[in-house]
Amino acid sequence: MTTSASVPAGPEGAIVGTVTDRLIDANERYAAAFTDPGMDARPVLRVAVVACMDARLDLHAALGLELGDCHTIRNAGGVVTDDVIRSLTISQRALGTRSIVLIHHTGCGLESLTEEFRHDLEMEVGQRPAWAVEAFRDVDQDIRQSMQRVRTSPFLLHTDDVRGFVFDVKTGLLREIDPA
């Protein structure tokens, strides 16, 4: 299967350059046709989306979003960490967002990890990471926990429109999770 990240092949199938070289080449083509859309950093729909970094999630396509519609915050698992709260706080207080959509997905890699990952990493590199893995076994429960973390944060002004979903990577459908 060929993806957009495939590296171009030269004579006799040899790989030419790195993936990063390919991305820079693509940017040059993009910039050649680029025109300033005349937007500022405030999302038009006043929404921030927090989601997993999984490459199978095309959030703009899945949610019908266009450039400038939302702030997108992504990390491993889409979990609400201190840094996500930081980004959401800036999004709300400085850039006007009012709604928060949290999206986890089926088949997440964090479901197969444990906090033992940190221990293994410490043994390998000689230093324990300051961050938690935030692994989980139940995606629905983790979305509930993420919603609770957002709703109880003292830094966020707008916590009345916080909704959580699980994206099915096989069907593309979102399933809403009841926060209770």
Side-chain angles (χ1 to χ4, degrees):
M1 176 175 141
T2 302
T3 67
S4 62
S6 298
V7 178
E12 300 175 18
I15 294 177
V16 177
T18 66
V19 172
T20 303
D21 292 334
R22 181 186 179 281
L23 298 176
I24 298 304
D25 289 344
N27 174 256
E28 288 172 2
R29 290 188 300 278
Y30 172 79
F34 184 80
T35 56
D36 180 359
M39 300 176 186
D40 68 13
R42 295 177 179 272
V44 173
L45 298 179
R46 297 169 49 146
V47 63
V49 178
V50 178
C52 185
M53 65 186 191
D54 191 294
R56 297 171 290 181
L57 277 65
D58 183 349
L59 293 174
H60 277 72
L63 300 173
L65 296 168
E66 299 293 331
L67 181 67
D69 282 348
C70 73
H71 284 159
T72 306
I73 304 161
R74 296 180 78 156
N75 67 22
V79 288
V80 176
T81 60
D82 286 345
D83 195 58
V84 168
I85 294 294
R86 171 189 159 273
S87 293
L88 288 171
T89 301
I90 293 166
S91 178
Q92 285 191 354
R93 290 179 176 263
L95 297 165
T97 60
R98 298 293 179 262
S99 300
I100 299 172
V101 174
L102 306 171
I103 301 177
H104 284 21
H105 65 92
T106 58
C108 184
L110 282 188
E111 292 176 290
S112 63
L113 288 177
T114 66
E115 290 300 320
E116 189 69 19
F117 180 84
R118 289 177 72 224
H119 174 73
D120 295 344
L121 197 54
E122 178 183 10
M123 295 290 86
E124 180 183 330
V125 304
Q127 181 178 344
R128 176 173 289 175
W131 39 263
V133 175
E134 296 278 354
F136 53 86
R137 293 282 178 253
D138 182 337
V139 68
D140 290 18
Q141 182 55 33
D142 201 68
I143 277 284
R144 285 185 195 97
Q145 176 177 295
S146 291
M147 285 189 278
Q148 185 65 16
R149 284 179 177 174
V150 168
R151 287 189 174 125
T152 59
S153 172
F155 306 109
L156 299 175
L157 297 171
H158 308 284
T159 58
D160 55 323
D161 188 13
V162 178
R163 294 171 66 185
F165 301 85
V166 174
F167 177 86
D168 188 312
V169 298
K170 302 285 188 206
T171 67
L173 288 173
L174 288 173
R175 178 174 52 85
E176 187 159 9
I177 302 302
D178 184 349

